[in-house]
Amino acid sequence: MSDRLANGRWFRILTVVDQYTRECLCAFADRSQTGEKVVEQMKRLVALRGAPESITTDNGGEFAGRAMEAWAYQAGVQMDFIRPGRPVQNGYIESFNGRLRDECLNGEVFFNVADAREKIGRWRSDYNQNRPHSALGDRTPAEFVSAVECRPFVFPIVNKAEPQPRQGFAGAGQKTPALDTAASLPSEPDKKTKGLAESPGLIERLN
């Protein structure tokens, strides 16, 4: 995302959203967003949450360049790019970015990059901690993560003959399967017979 400082100079924001928990894991403002800067944020998030199976983004140079390609290869992360001009394939992050724009960027004056980081960081914290999400059973992302982490982990039973859906980061260009399907926690019988059908998504969205 892009916005202007009070002096008219542009800055950009890298947003990362977790597809499973709907958390905003990153909303990092800087004068520019290069591949190297995106990789730096990805390394930070992976250190906190582990590596995702995949990251879906648009075709921006910061995502499609050599820096991200090399990092993804080394980290064992698949890069999924949406088709050019198809933001509909990017539903999670597009919805999030629209909310960030309406509720924060359009209502704040940013005097410098540090000021932008502080104000956007406050909004991000409120979004994660205080905003119920219908897809999470009207829980906040933080409440949903807490509920998942409190349940004992059960290794899923995987049929290796069938391809399994990938789960991971969502970025500026997001393929969004089943946007209208609410994330839910497994019941006890389900856990005993099938294991957890899906583990918490690790890192969602880049922009």
Side-chain angles (χ1 to χ4, degrees):
M1 301 184 67
S2 298
D3 202 22
R4 288 180 184 269
L5 300 174
N7 61 11
R9 302 184 73 174
W10 288 96
F11 69 97
R12 298 192 67 199
I13 308 162
L14 171 70
T15 55
V16 183
V17 176
D18 187 311
Q19 295 178 20
Y20 183 71
T21 68
R22 307 303 202 269
E23 289 175 283
C24 173
L25 299 179
C26 176
F28 179 72
D30 208 340
R31 290 294 307 278
S32 64
Q33 297 292 349
T34 64
E36 290 75 13
K37 290 179 180 180
V38 174
V39 167
E40 182 179 348
Q41 294 302 311
M42 292 303 97
K43 288 181 176 179
R44 180 181 66 83
L45 294 180
V46 167
L48 293 172
R49 303 292 292 268
E53 290 186 4
S54 64
I55 303 176
T56 308
T57 76
D58 61 26
N59 294 272
E62 63 270 40
F63 305 131
R66 291 186 176 181
M68 277 293 286
E69 180 183 11
W71 171 79
Y73 177 79
Q74 293 171 358
V77 174
Q78 176 177 316
M79 295 296 297
D80 292 330
F81 298 98
I82 66 167
R83 295 175 62 185
R86 294 294 182 89
V88 69
Q89 296 178 344
N90 186 25
Y92 286 124
I93 201 67
E94 291 294 335
S95 175
F96 172 83
N97 286 348
R99 185 172 295 184
L100 174 60
R101 173 78 62 191
D102 292 341
E103 298 181 4
C104 181
L105 303 186
N106 289 346
E108 296 281 1
V109 176
F110 304 113
F111 297 101
N112 50 49
V113 171
D115 184 51
R117 289 175 180 172
E118 193 273 331
K119 290 173 179 175
I120 293 170
R122 282 205 314 262
W123 183 89
R124 171 181 168 268
S125 178
D126 178 70
Y127 177 87
N128 287 335
Q129 300 290 329
N130 301 318
R131 305 290 189 87
H133 200 299
S134 60
L136 304 178
D138 291 326
R139 286 170 291 187
T140 67
E143 289 171 339
F144 185 74
V145 170
S146 178
V148 170
E149 290 178 344
C150 287
R151 293 194 172 222
F153 182 79
V154 179
F155 285 100
I157 300 173
V158 178
N159 183 351
K160 294 184 178 180
E162 298 179 1
Q164 299 299 312
R166 302 183 68 82
Q167 190 160 288
F169 301 8
Q174 179 60 46
K175 295 177 183 176
T176 56
L179 286 179
D180 58 346
T181 301
S184 60
L185 296 174
S187 64
E188 291 299 324
D190 286 343
K191 289 182 2 182
K192 292 178 181 179
T193 59
K194 296 182 181 179
L196 289 177
E198 59 177 342
S199 59
L202 297 175
I203 308 177
E204 258 211 292
R205 299 199 168 193
L206 302 179
N207 196 316

